[in-house]
Amino acid sequence: MEEITLSVVIVNYNVKYFLEQCLYSLRAALQGMEAEVFVVDNNSTDGSVAYLKPNFPEVTFIENSDNPGFAKANNQAIRLAKGKYILLLNPDTVIGEDTIRSLCYFLEEKPKAGALGVKMIDGNGVFLPESKRSFPTPWVSFCKMFGLSKLFPKNPRFAKYSLPYLNPDARHKVDVLAGAFMLIRKEALDKAGLLDEDFFMYGEDIDLSYRLKLAGYKNYYMPERILHYKGESTRKGNIKYVKIFYGAMLIFYRKHYSGAGKLFSLLIRLAVWFRALLDLMFHASANKKTKSSRRRLLILSSEMSLETVRTACLKQIPNLEFVNHWNLDEHRVMDCINRSNRMKGFTDIAFCYNDVRFEQLLLLMDKMPDKHITYHIYNKKSGVLVSPGKK
């Protein structure tokens, strides 16, 4: 029996269509590799396992009868994993066909590399700053919570939290990698220990990154791009989310920076809850603006796929007032990038897979980031249009 190179671990909770798309992209990315894929379902109520199991026989599904949290569910699969490398992956992600192979090759060449993270972009093609971060030391946390990092984004003294002064298209040694995509050397994980189950959700990636460095390994940010529909598996803008996210930050603070003093600890706590209130207000305001806007859609597909994509878009995208189509048989992705000025007249762009590879979809999104454009993917295999905000 050949050695398994990679074990992929995905924790799912009520996002079956995102997970379906993720698994299709994984299937393409793992072609020719010795790999295993685990999906741990945390008692989803949307019929995720029954829906996905028949179409993905290569996947090992673990069904929990309750929701034990993200860290504990990941650990369930990690204990069964046989791969030389472990990939922790969110279900609301899309990976390019060449990404995993390239990253595994890097780990082979760098034995002191404990874990790798990637360049994550959201459903607007916008770079997600949590792709690379520093440890939230008391000073770094203070600058983040009280806005100094935003005031001085190019100053390493004040903007260390998300490292905006580092080029997102270059490789860097960093402190913290995101749990949405963390490729870990199994040997390093054995030394550092599994995810800390005190974290129900959020914060466990910061804690693991910290312990990997304590174990003598280096964490690397790599400019390989993936799509991460940020927050689709944990709906934002509600009190439950705020308590979990900011509560996790306080757990990490107590665990690793407990000696900073009571006064500073109190200041950090006040700042945490102040930021929580701002986040709630921001998401409520953003939701109101989105509902009232009129939409202009561009479909990127072959002529043969056009009608099925159009039908799916008309059913799902509200307030459409105009629909156009570019035939990908004639206009390849690089041609679309060269026409970026024309594409910015649209509010929505729908790709059709597999008229175009996942790598090409990600390339176009990365080259055309725009908070006013929403990207959708129609998968001909499943007949489902996946969009930010779709359940």
Side-chain angles (χ1 to χ4, degrees):
M1 181 177 177
E2 291 189 55
E3 179 187 28
I4 293 177
T5 302
L6 179 69
S7 299
V8 183
V9 177
I10 304 172
V11 176
N12 175 64
Y13 182 68
N14 287 335
V15 284
K16 66 181 179 184
Y17 296 121
F18 285 100
L19 177 54
E20 178 181 37
Q21 182 172 254
C22 175
L23 291 174
Y24 276 125
S25 73
L26 260 181
R27 181 181 283 172
L30 297 177
Q31 285 291 323
M33 290 184 67
E34 287 297 319
E36 58 184 1
V37 180
F38 297 91
V39 169
V40 185
D41 186 79
N42 275 352
N43 199 28
S44 294
T45 57
D46 66 348
S48 290
V49 176
Y51 174 75
L52 294 167
K53 216 170 187 178
N55 294 322
F56 298 96
E58 72 273 26
V59 174
T60 299
F61 288 88
I62 301 171
E63 300 179 62
N64 287 327
S65 57
D66 62 350
N67 185 352
F70 182 77
K72 190 169 184 178
N74 269 296
N75 287 344
Q76 284 179 263
I78 292 172
R79 291 187 180 99
L80 301 174
K82 299 174 182 175
K84 184 177 180 181
Y85 307 116
I86 307 289
L87 173 60
L88 305 184
L89 185 66
N90 267 31
D92 49 355
T93 56
V94 174
I95 296 174
E97 286 83 352
D98 303 323
T99 297
I100 292 176
R101 198 178 305 274
S102 172
L103 294 175
C104 287
Y105 177 77
F106 180 84
L107 286 173
E108 291 287 343
E109 295 294 304
K110 299 279 188 180
K112 294 307 292 181
L116 307 179
V118 291
K119 179 181 183 179
M120 300 188 296
I121 58 177
D122 67 11
N124 306 108
V126 175
F127 172 70
L128 291 171
E130 61 266 32
S131 300
K132 49 179 176 59
R133 288 172 288 174
S134 292
F135 293 128
T137 64
W139 172 248
V140 170
S141 299
F142 180 87
C143 292
K144 168 70 173 173
M145 296 299 176
F146 290 97
L148 293 177
S149 56
K150 280 192 175 181
L151 284 174
F152 307 102
K154 299 301 180 184
N155 190 321
R157 178 170 175 77
F158 298 109
K160 288 197 73 169
Y161 184 79
S162 56
L163 307 169
Y165 47 85
L166 295 182
N167 181 2
D169 293 313
R171 185 179 79 205
H172 304 283
K173 293 176 187 175
V174 297
D175 289 335
V176 177
L177 305 175
F181 184 110
M182 188 184 287
L183 181 61
I184 312 165
R185 188 183 303 276
K186 180 63 162 58
E187 174 189 288
L189 190 59
D190 289 340
K191 289 183 181 179
L194 299 181
L195 278 69
D196 186 339
E197 296 179 8
D198 284 345
F199 296 91
F200 181 84
M201 186 177 295
Y202 304 115
E204 72 291 318
D205 49 359
I206 302 176
D207 178 71
L208 179 57
S209 297
Y210 190 90
R211 288 186 285 114
L212 284 167
K213 291 198 75 172
L214 285 180
Y217 291 91
K218 298 171 184 176
N219 299 326
Y220 284 87
Y221 164 84
M222 307 291 286
E224 300 279 350
R225 60 182 75 87
I226 73 164
L227 169 59
H228 175 31
Y229 289 102
K230 182 181 175 183
E232 293 305 328
S233 54
T234 52
R235 303 305 299 163
K236 295 196 171 186
N238 58 65
I239 291 293
K240 185 177 180 181
Y241 160 74
V242 166
K243 289 179 71 175
I244 292 172
F245 180 79
Y246 290 103
M249 295 302 98
L250 291 174
I251 292 172
F252 180 84
Y253 190 79
R254 286 195 297 267
K255 182 176 178 179
H256 296 292
Y257 301 114
S258 58
K262 291 183 179 181
L263 177 60
F264 198 87
S265 177
L266 176 62
L267 288 174
I268 290 294
R269 288 167 185 266
L270 290 173
V272 161
W273 291 110
F274 176 69
R275 287 299 301 259
L277 179 61
L278 289 181
D279 281 2
L280 287 175
M281 293 169 62
F282 171 79
H283 284 290
S285 173
N287 288 339
K288 286 179 182 177
K289 290 179 182 178
T290 303
K291 289 177 183 177
S292 61
S293 60
R294 304 295 297 176
R295 316 281 281 271
R296 295 170 62 84
L297 170 68
L298 173 63
I299 298 173
L300 301 177
S301 69
S302 70
E303 290 286 1
M304 294 180 65
S305 308
L306 174 59
E307 284 309 313
T308 53
V309 184
R310 188 200 299 270
T311 299
C313 290
L314 289 172
K315 285 182 180 178
Q316 189 167 307
I317 302 174
N319 303 324
L320 275 179
E321 64 179 6
F322 182 75
V323 180
N324 200 353
H325 172 244
W326 288 2
N327 185 354
L328 281 179
D329 291 338
E330 300 172 5
H331 306 118
R332 304 312 299 170
V333 166
M334 286 306 299
D335 296 324
C336 294
I337 293 171
N338 292 332
R339 295 170 169 224
S340 59
N341 288 334
R342 286 180 60 191
M343 295 180 75
K344 287 181 180 178
F346 297 94
T347 60
D348 295 79
I349 297 175
F351 300 106
C352 181
Y353 178 79
N354 50 2
D355 289 350
V356 62
R357 299 171 77 236
F358 286 117
E359 288 279 2
Q360 294 174 303
L361 309 181
L362 296 169
L363 172 63
L364 192 146
M365 293 177 70
D366 190 25
K367 295 298 182 183
M368 275 193 54
D370 192 327
K371 291 183 179 180
H372 302 292
I373 296 178
T374 300
Y375 290 94
H376 312 260
I377 301 177
Y378 177 82
N379 193 309
K380 291 201 294 189
K381 294 180 180 179
S382 63
V384 172
L385 183 74
V386 176
S387 312
K390 179 183 175 68
K391 292 185 179 181

